[in-house]
């Protein structure tokens, strides 16, 4: 006969009645419960900065997609379009998380570049465009690493989302570095 204990028997989880009462007490808070460990205002500020960064990246990549010219431009322009679409998906994920945390995603074009961690640089040549996108990806990588470190275990949902976005940003940087080395 095995000794089976539940997590509530060991003090690991709150009893069911306590969980139910807490869930009802602040129902208007949506997904954010009393156990949310991060400073929500700080997280919302960071996420709105990340949103601005992704939107600036979408705009830069789209411009580069249309402006790419030269003998090697076609596959690079196509890759810029893929990156733009992936950055837009990141922006959508971030905006959804902001709303989930009870905030408002800031899509206002006023001050977008100032809120963004990366810059919007047009680039004069295909090589300049690749280089500027690589710089922006490296900025995003550093930003996301710092945000992930800040969140730690205080907001695992946001942290996991940012880790997924970070992995794609690292992939973009690797692809852009390969493009530069083959130019």
């Amino acid at each position: 006969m095995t000794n089976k204990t539940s997590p509530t028997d060991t003090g690991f989880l709150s009893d069911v009645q306590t969980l139910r009462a807490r869930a009802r007490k602040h129902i208007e808070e949506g997904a954010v419960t009393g156990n949310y460990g991060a400073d929500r205002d700080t997280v919302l500020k960071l996420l709105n900065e990340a949103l601005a960064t992704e939107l600036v990246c979408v705009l830069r990549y789209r411009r580069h997609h249309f402006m790419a010219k030269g003998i090697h431009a076609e596959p690079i322009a196509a890759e810029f379009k893929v990156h733009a679409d992936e950055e837009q998906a990141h922006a959508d994920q971030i905006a959804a998380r902001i709303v989930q945390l009870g905030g408002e995603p800031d899509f206002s074009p006023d001050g977008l570049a100032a809120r963004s961690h990366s810059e919007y640089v047009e680039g004069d040549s295909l090589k300049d465009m690749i280089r500027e996108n690589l710089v922006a990806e490296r900025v995003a990588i550093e930003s996301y690493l710092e945000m992930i470190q800040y969140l730690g275990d205080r907001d695992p949902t946001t942290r996991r989302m940012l880790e997924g976005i970070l992995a794609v940003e690292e992939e973009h940087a690797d692809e852009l570095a390969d493009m530069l080395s083959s130019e």
Side-chain angles (χ1 to χ4, degrees):
M1 186 163 152
T2 61
N3 181 9
K4 292 185 178 182
T5 59
S6 73
T8 55
D9 294 339
T10 62
F12 178 65
L13 288 177
S14 301
D15 68 89
V16 172
Q17 295 304 321
T18 301
L19 288 173
R20 289 176 183 166
R22 282 197 311 238
R24 289 183 182 281
K25 186 173 182 181
H26 299 289
I27 196 167
E28 70 282 351
E29 303 249 349
V32 180
T33 67
N35 286 336
Y36 183 77
D39 179 299
R40 187 172 17 168
D41 290 337
T42 300
V43 173
L44 291 171
K45 179 184 180 298
L46 291 172
L47 289 176
N48 266 309
E49 289 173 2
L51 176 61
T53 301
E54 294 295 340
L55 294 172
V56 166
C57 288
V58 168
L59 295 171
R60 188 187 54 259
Y61 271 123
R62 289 233 188 269
R63 175 184 167 75
H64 292 172
H65 165 72
F66 288 108
M67 295 301 295
K69 292 182 179 21
I71 194 164
H72 302 292
E74 191 174 321
I76 292 173
E79 194 61 34
F80 288 163
K81 174 71 167 67
V82 169
H83 287 199
D85 292 345
E86 290 173 342
E87 303 293 356
Q88 182 62 57
H90 297 163
D92 293 347
Q93 285 180 281
I94 292 166
R97 183 62 180 157
I98 290 169
V99 171
Q100 199 174 45
L101 290 173
E104 296 181 8
D106 188 352
F107 283 96
S108 173
D110 295 337
L112 183 64
R115 292 189 311 273
S116 171
H117 294 176
S118 65
E119 298 172 294
Y120 179 90
V121 179
E122 294 176 350
D124 295 325
S125 67
L126 192 58
K127 193 169 191 167
D128 286 345
M129 291 176 199
I130 296 167
R131 185 177 286 115
E132 289 305 327
N133 285 315
L134 179 54
V135 167
E137 294 294 354
R138 291 174 53 80
V139 167
I141 289 166
E142 290 290 329
S143 295
Y144 286 126
L145 283 170
E146 289 183 16
M147 286 182 220
I148 289 164
Q149 289 170 355
Y150 166 76
L151 290 170
D153 291 335
R154 294 178 291 203
D155 182 345
T157 302
T158 302
R159 186 194 70 235
R160 282 192 310 272
M161 178 193 71
L162 294 177
E163 287 170 344
I165 292 171
L166 173 63
V168 175
E169 304 296 7
E170 289 174 342
E171 189 177 298
H172 289 175
D174 191 48
E175 292 165 354
L176 292 163
D178 286 348
M179 287 178 201
L180 269 183
S181 68
S182 65
E183 267 292 298

